Amino acid sequence: MKLRYKLTLAHINDTHSHFEPSRIHFKIQHNTNQVDLYSHSGGYARIKYQVDKARQQALLSEQEFLFLHAGDSFQGTLYYSEFKGSANAHLLSLMAPDAMVLGNHEIDAGNGPVKDFIEATHFPILAGNMDLSRELPGKVAPLNGQPRLYDYEPKTATAKPLIKTFYDTKLAIIGITLDQMKEIARPDPDTYYINAIETTRKTVQQLNEQGIRHIIVLSHLGLEQDRHLAEAVDGISLIVGGHTHTLQGDLSDLGMGQLPYGETINNTPIFHAGKYAETLGLVELEFDADGKVNTFNGANYFMLDKQFIFPAEAKPSASDYDEIRAKLANHPNILWDEEDESIKQAIATQYRPHIDSLENQILGFTPKDLVHTRLPSKNLPHGSEISPWVSKAMFRESKLLKPNIQFALHNAGGVRQSLEKGSISVADVIGRILPFELPLVTYKIQGKYLYQALESAINSATNNGIKGTGAGSFPYTYGLKYFYDGRKPLGQRLFKLEMLDESSTSPYWREIVMDEYYIGVSTSYTASGKEGYQALLEAQWQQPIDGLLLSDAFMNFIRKQETMALELTPQVHYTSHRQP
């Protein structure tokens, strides 16, 4: 028996159809000033090049190698909007991961697209707590029995593990996804998601009984739930995770975060690699014979353009540029822009020409960056700058068809990216900002249920006293002004709620009355009670707005504006329960 087992691991997560390099904003200290600079990082061709290079180095060192994807390849850009999962399946197969776990966005349109994706790919798909044993006979798109899907085994209450030869022993990879899938996605009604911690615990026990000690959990739970999993279940060698778009590593000298890479809980290191294929995690691990990671050395790496730009007002000198270029070249978390030719050519010839036509369709302009953040923060106390505009667009365009609408309510996760200063194209809207094809729904609801829905959604977004579903549930509104204090007891946190009354010549805010009825508009996703919005199901009625998607409403709204105005009256007033 060997005493030391070495593994080189490459990992990505939440790539969301970002096949090409993504725009990156760094803040770098230069001399006595903080300098903003912009470049592009990542994309599938660059990731493939670096993964192949790392795999070859491992081979030369006679060292085992794994490349893992921690879920959410669907949605996010025009490549998904226009080609659905087919482009993802094609390009991911070229990247050749050893395994991928299903994320919640793979399940946005039910099980059918998952079946198509599995059948079009060439690598194992893991979802070890996805119970398909009760699938209805004769259904159109069955997943049960798919040969490359490692789902739940109800007879043993365990995940089906992917077993690989690992030197003189075996290594198991378990795929665990969100057990709250029905709250945040749209799985088929006959598909069930079993408790993530219990499934993992029983699977680890079963593997140990078989003599398998080297166990990787490939997780789409998010960092906080990965921490709970590591704490609750002994014997997990490491967790490779996704869902929360967490970029680990001390990247403070680039103006990014400062989280430990490989945060270790209960002897289990946890690895996340950010979002949008901007970065690649690469780490060398050494295990003992019992599967415990004794040492690891790695990081998340940007794969950066060799060129970068400054804001126009910065006016750097040639020496400034050269000095900052040298600083980037010596940075331990930066690789460069070498690309895999096969993926580069596939994108350029099969997919890019159609995308170009949409990027040339200009809708309007914005005079400043409108930043998207899901939750309010010290720098953005009212939260996202773009989400209120999305809510206003939803309200204005829906009101043209349904004049009795009084407010709009939308969740933060339905908006995906910030809007950059300058022209706004069709591609920006349906490919980046609002990529989900979400119909709009109008509904009549009592004030008390609006109070409940808003507080519940915020509690869910912030894990305040409940097990949340992620920050994507945080509510943004137009025509509703709310005041939330997370320090108050449950049921009292939303302590004030007002509606904009536009019935007179001078619009004014009036307080929502608990027993009065109000008419609102939301997406079909939010109106269906997902992610803490269950109280919206108490509506007296719900009616779809035929022929109007959220993205259509936003594009129609932009076309009518010469520019996007700089300010909207804040309608989110939020105090966190996590005080400094």
Side-chain angles (χ1 to χ4, degrees):
M1 179 182 289
K2 287 171 65 67
L3 297 178
R4 304 191 326 179
Y5 295 80
K6 292 187 176 182
L7 171 70
T8 299
L9 170 69
H11 62 101
I12 54 178
N13 55 270
D14 300 282
T15 50
H16 287 296
S17 311
H18 284 256
F19 305 151
E20 296 182 290
S22 297
R23 188 172 187 256
I24 293 290
H25 176 198
F26 288 154
K27 293 179 179 291
I28 291 182
Q29 198 68 28
H30 178 58
N31 297 328
T32 58
N33 299 317
Q34 183 174 267
V35 178
D36 291 283
L37 64 87
Y38 298 87
S39 189
H40 291 84
S41 178
Y44 281 20
R46 296 183 189 182
I47 288 175
K48 176 69 158 55
Y49 177 89
Q50 296 297 341
V51 168
D52 285 352
K53 181 178 177 182
R55 183 185 283 114
Q56 184 63 28
Q57 288 173 342
L59 182 64
L60 292 173
S61 302
E62 298 183 341
Q63 192 162 303
E64 294 290 337
F65 180 87
L66 284 175
F67 174 34
L68 301 176
H69 191 311
D72 272 3
S73 73
F74 280 18
Q75 301 288 6
T77 73
L78 272 174
Y79 287 111
Y80 187 81
S81 304
E82 296 303 302
F83 301 104
K84 304 305 177 192
S86 63
N88 296 72
H90 174 206
L91 297 175
L92 279 171
S93 290
L94 291 177
M95 293 177 77
D98 291 283
M100 172 182 158
V101 66
L102 285 180
N104 52 294
H105 284 296
E106 272 76 58
I107 320 290
D108 277 340
N111 292 9
V114 178
K115 181 176 184 289
D116 294 340
F117 180 71
I118 292 171
E119 291 177 347
T121 51
H122 309 301
F123 49 85
I125 305 294
L126 280 53
N129 57 328
M130 181 188 200
D131 183 4
L132 298 164
S133 64
R134 288 170 274 182
E135 273 196 334
L136 298 175
K139 69 181 294 185
V140 174
L143 284 178
N144 195 13
Q146 286 284 333
R148 282 185 292 101
L149 177 61
Y150 291 72
D151 57 331
Y152 183 73
E153 177 49 72
K155 292 179 182 178
T156 56
T158 60
K160 296 173 185 174
L162 175 64
I163 306 294
K164 301 182 78 70
T165 300
F166 191 57
Y167 300 101
D168 62 355
T169 186
K170 300 289 185 183
L171 178 144
I173 305 172
I174 308 167
I176 298 292
T177 193
L178 288 155
D179 50 26
Q180 300 161 293
M181 196 69 79
K182 288 186 184 293
E183 284 72 49
I184 65 171
R186 295 177 181 172
D188 288 3
D190 59 2
T191 301
Y192 299 87
Y193 290 83
I194 311 303
N195 182 274
I197 289 176
E198 285 307 309
T199 302
T200 305
R201 179 182 289 115
K202 290 175 180 176
T203 308
V204 169
Q205 289 172 352
Q206 183 187 68
L207 289 167
N208 288 169
E209 290 167 3
Q210 297 168 2
I212 299 174
R213 300 284 179 177
H214 298 81
I215 301 169
I216 297 175
V217 173
L218 185 57
S219 153
H220 195 80
L221 299 176
L223 181 59
E224 193 63 37
Q225 291 195 53
D226 283 343
R227 289 167 173 160
H228 291 316
L229 182 64
E231 183 66 42
V233 180
D234 296 334
I236 302 172
S237 299
L238 65 138
I239 297 173
V240 179
H243 182 56
T244 44
H245 297 190
T246 305
L247 181 60
Q248 291 179 323
D250 184 357
L251 303 164
S252 54
D253 56 352
L254 298 175
M256 300 288 192
Q258 195 172 1
L259 290 172
Y261 179 76
E263 175 183 349
T264 300
I265 294 174
N266 191 20
N267 296 316
T268 301
I270 303 168
F271 300 101
H272 284 235
K275 65 181 185 346
Y276 303 160
E278 296 166 351
T279 51
L280 170 68
L282 283 173
V283 58
E284 292 194 2
L285 305 110
E286 185 178 289
F287 306 81
D288 65 17
D290 291 323
K292 179 185 174 184
V293 174
N294 287 330
T295 62
F296 64 86
N297 181 33
N300 281 314
Y301 295 92
F302 291 94
M303 293 148 285
L304 210 61
D305 287 355
K306 289 193 169 69
Q307 303 298 321
F308 55 89
I309 61 172
F310 298 96
E313 61 271 16
K315 298 178 181 178
S317 67
S319 62
D320 288 333
Y321 189 96
D322 290 342
E323 289 171 15
I324 292 173
R325 176 73 172 76
K327 185 175 291 188
L328 291 175
N330 292 319
H331 197 282
N333 295 90
I334 290 178
L335 304 172
W336 294 105
D337 57 1
E338 294 90 349
E339 295 179 309
D340 174 80
E341 196 62 28
S342 65
I343 290 184
K344 180 181 176 181
Q345 287 303 314
I347 293 171
T349 59
Q350 297 183 46
Y351 305 114
R352 186 69 220 176
H354 182 68
I355 304 303
D356 287 339
S357 67
L358 296 174
E359 290 186 336
N360 292 329
Q361 297 178 39
I362 303 301
L363 299 166
F365 299 87
T366 176
K368 58 169 276 189
D369 290 345
L370 295 173
V371 176
H372 181 54
T373 176
R374 292 185 172 187
L375 298 178
S377 63
K378 181 178 179 181
N379 292 331
L380 293 168
H382 303 290
S384 173
E385 295 176 320
I386 183 63
S387 291
W389 283 104
V390 172
S391 295
K392 183 174 182 178
M394 185 196 316
F395 174 83
R396 291 294 182 211
E397 294 304 310
S398 298
K399 198 170 177 68
L400 296 175
L401 302 172
K402 305 282 185 178
N404 56 355
I405 288 173
Q406 297 169 286
F407 68 90
L409 168 61
H410 188 45
N411 67 302
V415 180
R416 304 307 291 180
Q417 292 191 40
S418 302
L419 183 59
E420 297 170 6
K421 175 182 177 181
S423 61
I424 307 168
S425 70
V426 170
D428 290 323
V429 177
I430 65 174
R432 289 181 274 276
I433 301 166
L434 302 172
F436 306 136
E437 294 182 355
L438 293 172
L440 299 182
V441 172
T442 184
Y443 50 92
K444 184 176 182 179
I445 193 165
Q446 283 184 297
K448 62 184 177 182
Y449 296 123
L450 282 178
Y451 268 91
Q452 290 175 22
L454 288 164
E455 179 177 316
S456 173
I458 299 170
N459 291 339
S460 182
T462 57
N463 295 311
N464 190 2
I466 64 170
K467 181 182 178 182
T469 53
S473 65
F474 194 87
Y476 288 94
T477 58
Y478 185 80
L480 275 182
K481 185 191 296 183
Y482 68 77
F483 298 79
Y484 173 96
D485 188 341
R487 301 166 297 183
K488 292 179 179 290
L490 275 169
Q492 301 175 32
R493 292 169 182 166
L494 200 85
F495 62 91
K496 189 176 182 182
L497 181 59
E498 297 178 329
M499 177 167 291
L500 182 63
D501 191 324
E502 297 183 317
S503 60
S504 65
T505 54
S506 299
Y508 65 97
W509 292 95
R510 63 183 176 92
E511 198 155 337
I512 290 286
V513 178
M514 292 291 187
D515 293 330
E516 283 190 13
Y517 283 90
Y518 303 91
I519 296 177
V521 61
S522 296
T523 66
S524 58
Y525 180 83
T526 303
S528 68
K530 303 284 188 181
E531 297 194 58
Y533 289 93
Q534 294 90 340
L536 295 186
L537 296 175
E538 301 294 335
Q540 188 179 80
W541 50 257
Q542 290 192 2
Q543 298 173 354
I545 302 178
D546 293 335
L548 187 63
L549 300 176
L550 176 61
S551 54
D552 295 333
F554 192 62
M555 289 190 289
N556 292 344
F557 180 78
I558 293 172
R559 287 187 182 101
K560 298 170 185 175
Q561 317 297 313
E562 289 188 8
T563 62
M564 296 281 280
L566 291 180
E567 301 295 338
L568 275 177
T569 301
Q571 298 182 24
V572 172
H573 297 268
Y574 169 79
T575 302
S576 174
H577 63 294
R578 298 186 179 100
Q579 296 303 302

